[in-house]
Amino acid sequence: MAKIQIENLRKQFGEFVAVRDSSFTVQDGEFLALLGPSGCGKTTTLRMIAGLELPSSGVIRLGGEDVTFNRASARDIAFVFQLFALYPHMNVRKNIGFPLLSQGVAKAEIKARVEETAKLLQIDHILDRSVSGLAGGDRQRVALGRAIVRRPMCFLMDEPLGTLDAEFRDTMVRELRELHLRIHATTVYVTHDQHEAMAMADKIAVMNHGIIEQFGTPQEVYNRPASMYVADFIGSPPMNFLRFTSGLQKGTRSVSVDGVQLTVPEIREDMAEGERALGIRPEHIRFSDASPLRGQVYGSEYLGTNQIVAVETRAGMLKARVPAERNFSIGEHVGIELTHDNLSLFDAKSGRAVASSLYTEARHG
Ligand code: ATP
């Protein structure tokens, strides 16, 4: 296995820039999810790493070697597509073993490696079955087997679970993670599904319009979003924003939102008067009669173990995840308490984070 280094990678289709000067490293054995909405450049990035698309500029290194202009067949990678075409006239064993057969590997070794791979994927009991009668999950496992059996330097996967129904998808997410923990293959996985990315990846690159907005662990992108875009894209419901206007001085710990003084993470730069947004996750909001920050209940959604209560404030709508027991009536006035250890502060114009309490703690801690 090997590390993947991407330096200033760019792809233009005519005037249109699909990938804009991306730089990141996937460490040896790491699982990276490229996450973002449709059209943000995930597949184009993956195809460039695979050698299926030539970059307009930038460098791609696999295992330290510059492969930017190498053909796909000259890169030691395995690509797993969403609709992986299995050979319908072959059984599972032959489908998995096919890449080794094409490489001229000896029959006895093919047999051993196919059986080892099938065991890893828990499909050793169906090795002699025809692939045409297999259910979606098993087909996907056979497709993975065909990729794994070659023992390539890295795996590239483009929405491989996209066609599976929700139940199989959850099973496959769990299985892919377990498989990764067993074989530690360097993997780049494209998805638009934040749950898949959060559940499987060691690192996530959150993409938007060809740009990587944030590259970090699932915990970092969730707790310390680098931008309002990331804060909004990750989390369900997403991060809430309370908007206010203020000039901020370095070292500031208090801001006025709707006339209420709130303690915020320390600002490290002076910032001129401008639109700001205070970000807070739904689970970090509590209702407290004594709190001066007030709002009116707009609606609630019962989820069994908890409920999401939407509250309208003068600084914006908030969604709080609170215990399911209490009943709220629409129009009810509530006091809102924000746990100030979990706040993020953004420049609302650029959308960039200017401070986060968790970031501050991590830096000082
Ligand atoms: P999706 O999940 O919908 O595939 P994505 O994030 O993977 O989204 P890409 O497929 O990488 O997005 O496409 C990024 C942008 O580049 C899109 O606007 C797409 O229309 C454009 N694009 C991709 N390939 C080409 C091409 N060959 N010619 C012109 N434009 C292209």
Side-chain angles (χ1 to χ4, degrees):
M1 291 296 157
K3 99 171 150 182
I4 304 171
Q5 291 158 289
I6 304 298
E7 295 162 18
N8 301 316
L9 195 64
R10 184 180 180 90
K11 180 67 186 179
Q12 264 180 255
F13 295 107
E15 290 294 293
F16 178 74
V17 184
V19 175
R20 205 173 280 268
D21 309 321
S22 278
S23 295
F24 59 86
T25 299
V26 192
Q27 298 296 346
D28 189 11
E30 213 168 49
F31 189 123
L32 169 73
L34 290 177
L35 173 67
S38 182
C40 70
K42 310 179 293 291
T43 296
T44 306
T45 303
L46 199 72
R47 286 174 60 80
M48 288 193 281
I49 301 173
L52 300 172
E53 197 82 70
L54 265 186
S56 307
S57 57
V59 177
I60 301 166
R61 291 182 213 281
L62 293 184
E65 184 196 350
D66 183 346
V67 297
T68 316
F69 297 104
N70 289 9
R71 284 200 320 269
S73 56
R75 302 182 191 194
D76 189 11
I77 52 147
F79 205 115
V80 182
F81 292 100
Q82 183 178 358
L83 292 168
F84 201 100
L86 298 175
Y87 301 116
H89 57 286
M90 292 182 189
N91 64 14
V92 171
R93 183 186 296 277
K94 287 196 171 141
N95 264 281
I96 296 178
F98 190 76
L100 301 182
L101 193 68
S102 335
Q103 283 176 355
V105 176
K107 273 198 174 143
E109 191 179 342
I110 295 182
K111 184 171 185 297
R113 274 166 68 177
V114 167
E115 285 173 6
E116 179 196 346
T117 304
K119 220 173 245 150
L120 201 63
L121 291 161
Q122 292 163 359
I123 48 173
D124 42 334
H125 59 291
I126 56 166
L127 270 176
D128 296 312
R129 292 240 317 254
S130 155
V131 293
S132 46
L134 296 181
D138 281 340
R139 291 181 72 84
Q140 206 66 44
R141 286 183 200 109
V142 177
L144 279 171
R146 206 156 68 170
I148 291 168
V149 80
R150 278 183 38 221
R151 299 180 189 152
M153 278 218 274
C154 59
F155 291 108
L156 305 181
M157 303 193 190
D158 193 356
E159 307 251 13
L161 309 183
T163 53
L164 300 182
D165 62 37
E167 193 190 334
F168 267 139
R169 237 174 133 105
D170 288 349
T171 310
M172 286 307 293
V173 163
R174 212 170 38 248
E175 285 186 18
L176 274 177
R177 181 68 200 161
E178 281 167 13
L179 181 69
H180 178 71
L181 293 176
R182 263 178 278 149
I183 65 176
H184 286 291
T186 311
T187 304
V188 184
Y189 184 100
V190 160
T191 180
H192 64 274
D193 183 320
Q194 55 161 314
H195 301 292
E196 280 184 19
M198 296 292 269
M200 280 190 279
D202 300 310
K203 298 272 175 59
I204 299 178
V206 186
M207 292 190 69
N208 179 24
H209 292 305
I211 290 172
I212 294 181
E213 291 252 342
Q214 187 167 7
F215 186 94
T217 63
Q219 291 78 5
E220 281 163 349
V221 295
Y222 186 80
N223 292 324
R224 311 199 296 261
S227 66
M228 292 173 79
Y229 174 85
V230 175
D232 186 62
F233 194 82
I234 306 247
S236 173
M239 186 175 266
N240 296 288
F241 301 116
L242 285 170
R243 291 170 189 271
F244 63 101
T245 305
S246 172
L248 297 174
Q249 265 84 55
K250 197 173 165 187
T252 299
R253 292 299 316 267
S254 171
V255 297
S256 170
V257 177
D258 191 20
V260 177
Q261 291 299 315
L262 296 173
T263 307
V264 296
E266 189 178 313
I267 315 294
R268 282 182 291 276
E269 278 171 49
D270 285 340
M271 300 186 74
E273 191 80 15
E275 292 290 312
R276 316 282 173 223
L278 198 57
I280 183 137
R281 294 272 175 210
E283 60 275 26
H284 297 136
I285 298 175
R286 282 196 294 261
F287 295 135
S288 148
D289 290 338
S291 176
L293 187 64
R294 311 296 297 177
Q296 230 179 330
V297 174
Y298 183 80
S300 66
E301 188 188 343
Y302 177 68
L303 298 175
T305 50
N306 53 49
Q307 61 182 324
I308 305 295
V309 180
V311 179
E312 199 158 24
T313 76
R314 286 200 300 206
M317 181 77 81
L318 294 180
K319 284 191 173 176
R321 187 184 294 278
V322 293
E325 291 76 47
R326 191 175 150 191
N327 284 327
F328 292 90
S329 15
I330 291 176
E332 182 181 339
H333 287 268
V334 287
I336 298 152
E337 207 172 275
L338 313 176
T339 56
H340 61 76
D341 288 347
N342 299 288
L343 290 172
S344 293
L345 193 56
F346 301 93
D347 174 8
K349 191 153 174 257
S350 68
R352 303 305 299 174
V354 294
S356 155
S357 40
L358 288 152
Y359 182 65
T360 310
E361 274 166 23
R363 296 248 312 191
H364 295 300

